[in-house]
Amino acid sequence: MNFLACTSKFLESYRGHDCALSTIGYGLAMYSGLKAKKNDQYSKNFAKLSSQISNARVILRLLDDPSMLAYTLNYGLGKHEKNIVVRSLNIINNLASHVYYLCEHAAWLADNSILKADSRLYWLISLVAWLISLIASIICNSICLIKMLKELRLLVNKDQIKSKKDELISKRFRIIYLKLIEELSWTINAIHWLPPGILWSGKLSDFQSGFLGLLSSLCNLICKII
């Protein structure tokens, strides 16, 4: 009963059901790619379901702007952050996220003939903005992880590891590792979705792309429940 209550509470939250939809959607995409050679029609049905879930998430993200704006205004120029590199990366991340949301909204409106424009351009700008945000976040989390590892080594050398174990090898430490796996997986996929001729764009199979999406979604899911 406690598990059911926790699951219900998680799914009632916006981040909770978005995370669940992402996991299910990319799981279906991966399974679709796996079945592509054995049963083409079966594979297409799963791909269609995955696409519908993806479209649902796009619609739900129409409501993300106020929370993103509030977060950006609260962070501001990051004066509380001592590391100027981390501060700059967080500002870039915030700005890129706004461009991502706005262009995705415009692309969705264009796809539905509300906005008279070529949606492909807006989808591309949105994708590039997301990629910039991911790279900034990866660098930022890598810096934080290196800093934590250095602190850990110092404590080991000073025989203080026992008193500080819960602080350093704990929730935040595991979350950074998971976030890096998540963001690296999304980055591989994001480059795959770029126009042909850029690195490995268009070279991943549906199974590989679905697997990376599922891995990212599971990492995000674990971060939210640990």
Side-chain angles (χ1 to χ4, degrees), residues 76-133:
L77 296 177
K79 293 180 180 179
H80 61 281
E81 177 59 62
K82 295 180 181 179
N83 189 318
I84 190 170
V85 176
V86 173
R87 184 195 309 170
S88 301
L89 288 168
N90 282 329
I91 292 171
I92 291 170
N93 190 351
N94 291 340
L95 292 174
S97 294
H98 281 290
V99 173
Y100 162 73
Y101 283 123
L102 291 172
C103 288
E104 185 183 64
H105 301 340
W108 179 77
L109 289 170
D111 279 342
N112 287 279
S113 303
I114 303 300
L115 184 66
K116 293 183 179 179
D118 185 357
S119 66
R120 290 174 296 180
L121 176 62
Y122 288 108
W123 283 122
L124 178 59
I125 296 172
S126 176
L127 180 59
V128 171
W130 183 43
L131 189 56
I132 292 170
S133 174

Side-chain angles (χ1 to χ4, degrees), residues 24-26 28-29 45-55:
I24 295 169
Y26 283 104
L28 290 170
N45 290 341
F46 276 91
K48 185 178 179 180
L49 285 174
S50 176
S51 178
Q52 288 178 348
I53 290 174
S54 178
N55 289 336

Side-chain angles (χ1 to χ4, degrees), residues 118-159:
D118 185 357
S119 66
R120 290 174 296 180
L121 176 62
Y122 288 108
W123 283 122
L124 178 59
I125 296 172
S126 176
L127 180 59
V128 171
W130 183 43
L131 189 56
I132 292 170
S133 174
L134 285 168
I135 293 171
S137 187
I138 288 170
I139 298 171
C140 189
N141 282 326
S142 298
I143 291 171
C144 292
L145 184 61
I146 292 169
K147 181 181 177 182
M148 290 178 70
L149 288 172
K150 286 180 179 179
E151 290 175 356
L152 181 60
R153 291 194 190 99
L154 286 174
L155 291 172
V156 170
N157 293 335
K158 293 179 181 179
D159 295 325

